[in-house]
Amino acid sequence: MASEPLNPEVVRVSLSNKVSTLISIQLARGKVGVEVVAAQLHMSRYTLHKKLKREGLTFARLLEDVRRKQALTYMQDKSKPLVEIAEQLGFSELSAFSRAFKRWMGTSPAEYRSARFS
């Protein structure tokens, strides 16, 4: 039985998943950079942007998505200070994290946490 050619959607999802995974790894190390992720995928920054653009995505969008998902996971631990969460997500200050969180969820991190986990 001959293998069928890969569906372009499968290839796109695969690239997006790889980029998202690499972003998560970089966040855990403290810094996220498109150049580092592109190098890990053995391509230039330009090529990565071009391939993501074909999918209708950007590196910034994937970074935002990873940060949002991880923020929601970290918020479940009520003992974890918001400052620590902001730091782990690569935000320079708590205020930057708070603005992003409010944009994502429509409420501040403190309000979200007290409404969901009190």
Side-chain angles (χ1 to χ4, degrees):
M1 183 169 137
S3 64
E4 295 180 28
L6 283 176
N7 180 337
E9 286 182 30
V10 172
V11 173
R12 283 195 291 262
V13 170
S14 178
L15 177 63
S16 299
N17 284 340
K18 285 179 186 177
V19 171
S20 293
T21 299
L22 291 171
I23 288 171
S24 294
I25 291 167
Q26 293 301 314
L27 275 176
R29 293 180 181 162
K31 272 200 166 179
V32 178
V34 66
E35 293 87 3
V36 174
V37 172
Q40 289 175 324
L41 293 169
H42 306 289
M43 61 180 76
S44 70
R45 174 184 179 157
Y46 174 78
T47 301
L48 177 59
H49 277 293
K50 190 169 67 173
K51 288 183 176 193
L52 288 174
K53 187 176 181 179
R54 282 188 213 141
E55 297 180 35
L57 295 168
T58 64
F59 184 84
R61 172 70 188 272
L62 291 174
L63 174 59
E64 180 117 341
D65 288 347
V66 169
R67 281 178 161 169
R68 181 181 46 78
K69 288 173 189 170
Q70 286 187 357
L72 294 174
T73 300
Y74 294 154
M75 291 291 285
Q76 293 176 17
D77 180 357
K78 291 188 291 186
S79 67
K80 187 177 283 213
L82 293 177
V83 172
E84 186 179 327
I85 293 172
E87 205 173 89
Q88 288 179 319
L89 296 174
F91 288 97
S92 58
E93 297 180 3
L94 177 57
S95 60
F97 168 64
S98 293
R99 283 191 303 275
F101 193 89
K102 190 163 188 168
R103 186 175 63 247
W104 300 329
M105 305 307 295
T107 186
S108 74
E111 290 168 347
Y112 179 89
R113 186 179 262 176
S114 79
R116 295 269 198 288
F117 307 109
S118 57

